[in-house]
C-alpha cells in the first residue's frame, strides 16, 4: 500500500505514514478551523493499513499545539491504532512534549486513559 | 440603557492592550492574528509554557468566536458581516483574552447553563468532563459539544467570565473574558 507524506503548514502538522516500516508520525501544530477534512485521509489510511499491519507499528506524536477541533480527530487516529493492537500486533506510541508543557503531557495522559495502549511520555529538553 | 457597540468595545479595551479588533471575523483574519500575536508573545514573554498557554487559549477563543457569531438580520445596521470583537490585554502579571459577538436571545439560557456548570467544576471534574465529551459526543465541523470552553476552563482553572448585553428583542451581544 502507498505511504502518505503531508508537509506541515502553520495550521496543520507534518504527517508521515509508512506502511513499509510501520512508522506513523504526526508532528508540528494542528489548529485548523475544520480538522475533520484534514484527518480524513489519515484515518482512512490507518483503516487500510490495519488489514495488514507490520508486526510492530511505531507512532510518534510530537505536537506543539492542537485545538479541540483536532482533538477528536486525533482520538480517531488512536482508536484505529487500538484496533491494530487488539488484533495482536505490537503498537508503541511515543508522546513527545516540551519541557514544562504540562498541558501537553496531560493531554497525552487523557488519550492514554481513553484508549487501551500505554504511552511512552518523552520530554523534549532544549 | 441603549445599546452602544463603541461603548462595549471601549470597556473591553482596559489594561495594556496588545491587540484589539472590531469587524468581520474570517478564517484568514484569525490565521493572520495568530501569526502576529505569536511573534509578539515571543518578544514579551520568556516562559515557554506561559506563551503556549496563552496561544492555545487564543486559538480556542478565536475559533469559538468564528464558529458562533450570529449575524444581525437587518441590513440597515452598520455592522460588518460576521461581526465580532476581540481584545488581548495585559493587566499586571495577567493576560486577558476578550471576545464579543452577537447571539440570538433564544440561545442565551443554554449558554449560561453551560458556563455555570463548567465554572462550578473542580480541575479533576473538568478533566473527566473533557474526556467524556471527547470520547462520547458527536462532533460537527463547528467543533465538539462545547469542548473548546471546557478546554479553556481547564487551562485557566475556571477563570472564564461572560456577560450579555441586550441589543433588541431577538439579539444580544455576548462577551467572554478569559484570564491567564
Amino acid at each position: 500500500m502507498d505511504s502518505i507524506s503531508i508537509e506541515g503548514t502553520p495550521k496543520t502538522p507534518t504527517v508521515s505514514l509508512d506502511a513499509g516500516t510501520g512508522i506513523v508520525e504526526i508532528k508540528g501544530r494542528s489548529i485548523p478551523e475544520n480538522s475533520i477534512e484534514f484527518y480524513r485521509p489519515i484515518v482512512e489510511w490507518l483503516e487500510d493499513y490495519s488489514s495488514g499491519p507490520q508486526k510492530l507499528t511505531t507512532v510518534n506524536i510530537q505536537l506543539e499545539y492542537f485545538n479541540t477541533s483536532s482533538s477528536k480527530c486525533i482520538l480517531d487516529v488512536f482508536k484505529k491504532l487500538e484496533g491494530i493492537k487488539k488484533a495482536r500486533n505490537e503498537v508503541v506510541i511515543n508522546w513527545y512534549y516540551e519541557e514544562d508543557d504540562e498541558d501537553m503531557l496531560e493531554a497525552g495522559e487523557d488519550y492514554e486513559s481513553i484508549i487501551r495502549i500505554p504511552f511512552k511520555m518523552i520530554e523534549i529538553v532544549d | 440603557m441603549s445599546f452602544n457597540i463603541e461603548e462595549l468595545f471601549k470597556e473591553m479595551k482596559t489594561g495594556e492592550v496588545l491587540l484589539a479588533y472590531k469587524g468581520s471575523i474570517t478564517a484568514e483574519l484569525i490565521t493572520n492574528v495568530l501569526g502576529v500575536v505569536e511573534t509578539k508573545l515571543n518578544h514579551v514573554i520568556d516562559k515557554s509554557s506561559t506563551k503556549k498557554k496563552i496561544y492555545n487559549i487564543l486559538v480556542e477563543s478565536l475559533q469559538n468566536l468564528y464558529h458562533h457569531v450570529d449575524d444581525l438580520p437587518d441590513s440597515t445596521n452598520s455592522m460588518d458581516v460576521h461581526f465580532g470583537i476581540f481584545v488581548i490585554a495585559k493587566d499586571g502579571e495577567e493576560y486577558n483574552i476578550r471576545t464579543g459577538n452577537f447571539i440570538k436571545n433564544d440561545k442565551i439560557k443554554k449558554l449560561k447553563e453551560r458556563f455555570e456548570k463548567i465554572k462550578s467544576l473542580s480541575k479533576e471534574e473538568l478533566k473527566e468532563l473533557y474526556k467524556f465529551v471527547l470520547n462520547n459526543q458527536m462532533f460537527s465541523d463547528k467543533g465538539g459539544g462545547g469542548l473548546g470552553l471546557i478546554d479553556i476552563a481547564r487551562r485557566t482553572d475556571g477563570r472564564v467570565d461572560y456577560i450579555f448585553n441586550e441589543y433588541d428583542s431577538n439579539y444580544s451581544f455576548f462577551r467572554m473574558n478569559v484570564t491567564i
Side-chain angles (χ1 to χ4, degrees), chain A residues 11 29 34 67-68 79 113, chain B residues 31 38 60 63 135 141:
Chain A
K11 283 192 163 180
R29 337 179 132 187
N34 299 316
N67 60 0
T68 53
K79 291 227 160 139
S113 72
Chain B
T31 306
E38 189 171 24
E60 289 304 326
Q63 292 184 344
N135 200 20
D141 281 344

Side-chain angles (χ1 to χ4, degrees), chain A residues 39-51:
Chain A
Y39 280 91
R40 187 173 291 127
I42 300 169
V43 173
E44 282 172 0
W45 185 94
L46 284 166
E47 176 67 35
D48 288 347
Y49 173 76
S50 65
S51 62

